[in-house]
């Protein structure tokens, strides 16, 4: 019987590859992104559809007075219609004076549409503060926000 010896080449010790060095970096990046995904972010879009009109009323009852905050939020399409109605001179732009006139008309019309009774007697409400803004909506179109207090 003869003995055959086969010499195998020596394997070089394994070296860490660049890919193995990237693993901790990739894992760290995934963890950071996961944490960032959980952080709260402000929402800049309104939660309405493009045709919506949202109204909000808050009554504050005190010992000697009743306060009302009335807010109207209009989405892009009703805002376009209102801005067209505001444009009294028909130049395609709403001036500050046209905005003020619109806001004064709305502030004058609102109390006529509300009924307030205190101890069974009719009471009147007169807005003392008013504000009209046009926050940006989708596709760069304005929305309308009117606040009367």
């Amino acid at each position: 019987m003869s003995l055959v010896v086969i010499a195998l080449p020596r394997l070089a010790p394994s070296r860490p590859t660049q890919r193995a060095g990237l693993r901790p970096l990739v894992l760290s990046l995934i963890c950071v992104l996961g944490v960032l995904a959980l952080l709260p972010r402000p929402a800049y879009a309104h939660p309405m559809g493009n045709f919506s009109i949202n109204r909000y009323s808050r009554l504050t009852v005190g010992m000697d007075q009743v306060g009302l905050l009335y807010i109207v939020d209009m989405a892009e399409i009703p805002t376009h219609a209102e801005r067209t109605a505001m444009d009294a001179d028909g130049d395609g732009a709403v001036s500050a004076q046209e905005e003020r006139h619109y806001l004064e008309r709305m502030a004058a019309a609102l109390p006529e549409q509300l009924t307030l009774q205190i101890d069974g007697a009719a009471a009147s409400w007169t807005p003392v503060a008013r504000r009209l803004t046009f926050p940006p909506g989708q596709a760069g179109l304005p929305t309308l926000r009117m606040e009367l207090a």
Side-chain angles (χ1 to χ4, degrees), residues 25-36:
L25 180 63
V26 170
L27 185 59
S28 297
L29 182 61
I30 290 172
C31 290
V32 168
L33 290 175
V35 168
L36 288 176

Side-chain angles (χ1 to χ4, degrees), residues 82-116:
E82 289 299 301
R83 286 182 63 92
T84 301
M86 282 182 220
D87 185 16
D89 59 10
D91 67 353
V94 178
S95 68
Q97 181 181 359
E98 290 169 330
E99 285 181 19
R100 278 192 307 275
H101 180 67
Y102 173 84
L103 191 53
E104 288 169 5
R105 269 188 312 139
M106 299 310 268
L110 183 61
E112 297 171 4
Q113 300 170 16
L114 301 174
T115 303
L116 175 63

Side-chain angles (χ1 to χ4, degrees), residues 29-136:
L29 182 61
I30 290 172
C31 290
V32 168
L33 290 175
V35 168
L36 288 176
L38 297 175
L39 293 175
R41 292 173 304 281
Y44 295 107
H46 61 84
M48 307 181 295
N50 293 340
F51 293 91
S52 300
I53 299 175
N54 188 24
R55 293 174 178 86
Y56 170 80
S57 300
R58 181 183 72 201
L59 285 175
T60 306
V61 180
M63 295 300 285
D64 57 347
Q65 67 180 3
V66 175
L68 171 66
L69 171 62
Y70 187 76
I71 299 174
V72 177
D73 276 317
M74 292 186 188
E76 293 82 0
I77 293 174
T79 295
H80 177 72
E82 289 299 301
R83 286 182 63 92
T84 301
M86 282 182 220
D87 185 16
D89 59 10
D91 67 353
V94 178
S95 68
Q97 181 181 359
E98 290 169 330
E99 285 181 19
R100 278 192 307 275
H101 180 67
Y102 173 84
L103 191 53
E104 288 169 5
R105 269 188 312 139
M106 299 310 268
L110 183 61
E112 297 171 4
Q113 300 170 16
L114 301 174
T115 303
L116 175 63
Q117 292 184 351
I118 300 175
D119 289 332
S124 64
W125 175 69
T126 304
V128 294
R130 49 184 76 104
R131 186 170 88 160
L132 183 66
T133 58
F134 296 97

